[in-house]
Amino acid sequence: PSSLLVDSGRADAHGLELLLQKKRTGRVHALASVAWGRSRYRGLDGQWRPRAFDNGLLVSAEGGWRATERVELSARWIRAGGAPYTPLDTARSREQNRTVLDRDRVAAARYPAYHSLNLRVDGRVGIGRTTLVGYASVWNAYNRRNVAAYYWNSRTREPDVSRQWSLLPIIGIDWILR
């Protein structure tokens, strides 16, 4: 069967953001922001619903300290309100043993708020006309188990949760040509 696409929906978005920045002068730099927004659409059924990235309140803070000419420490923390999602139709999911969404509750629920802290240390060495930067970082340093999605687990025959990355160590090298 073919589907008919109709261009008669409506959408709107509005918000407000406050940003404070301390540019690098000397050893310290920092950036902090608070933003609130609303993004929604009205479907053909006339109902207004939140859009996929309607997280409400967003808060972030990041900064760094250059301890020496060669060593820098930095951090970034972010918090986002829960994004909307369509809940499972538990009875139909159980009956069919697969994820079945509740079409009567499209975008009617919200995931828990997301937040995470990333930490990083950089070490720089000048080599001729180049700079070698080695770094080590830890994403989600306090190991928060942020929710990625809810789904039907066909093995346990129950609703289940998929989580985002937990604590993730990263090491790397950048070679900068001047």
Side-chain angles (χ1 to χ4, degrees):
S2 64
S3 295
L4 178 64
L5 297 178
V6 179
D7 183 16
S8 59
R10 301 248 327 146
D12 70 35
H14 55 275
L16 183 64
E17 180 177 17
L18 174 65
L19 176 91
L20 301 170
Q21 180 179 19
K22 193 239 179 256
K23 292 186 177 186
R24 184 186 308 273
T25 54
R27 297 179 155 207
V28 177
H29 64 94
L31 181 82
S33 73
V34 176
W36 173 84
R38 183 171 187 178
S39 175
R40 60 191 187 139
Y41 72 96
R42 186 174 68 201
L44 294 177
D45 62 0
Q47 296 225 0
W48 284 97
R49 294 182 179 90
R51 297 191 68 159
F53 295 102
D54 181 45
N55 292 93
L57 185 65
L58 301 165
V59 181
S60 69
E62 60 184 83
W65 173 59
R66 185 167 274 188
T68 69
E69 281 299 313
R70 294 185 175 188
V71 177
E72 182 171 348
L73 305 172
S74 59
R76 179 171 194 238
W77 180 80
I78 188 166
R79 185 254 184 226
Y85 74 94
T86 302
L88 296 176
D89 180 329
T90 306
R92 290 185 64 213
S93 292
R94 184 167 283 118
E95 179 183 292
Q96 297 178 28
N97 197 27
R98 67 179 183 89
T99 298
V100 178
L101 300 180
D102 186 342
R103 291 183 178 217
D104 293 330
R105 299 180 59 213
V106 174
R110 297 238 173 214
Y111 289 115
Y114 166 93
H115 55 89
S116 180
L117 173 68
N118 299 344
L119 302 173
R120 179 170 163 151
V121 60
D122 288 36
R124 291 176 174 72
V125 176
I127 303 172
R129 299 182 84 171
T130 67
T131 303
L132 193 61
V133 181
Y135 60 88
S137 64
V138 177
W139 288 3
N140 195 12
Y142 51 83
N143 204 26
R144 174 152 167 98
R145 298 190 42 128
N146 289 300
V147 173
Y150 297 112
Y151 69 98
W152 184 260
N153 185 323
S154 59
R155 188 177 48 78
T156 64
R157 300 187 64 85
E158 293 291 330
D160 209 342
V161 61
S162 174
R163 303 276 179 182
Q164 295 179 359
W165 282 100
S166 56
L167 185 132
L168 180 64
I170 298 171
I171 59 172
I173 296 174
D174 287 334
W175 188 11
I176 303 167
L177 306 173
R178 291 185 240 170

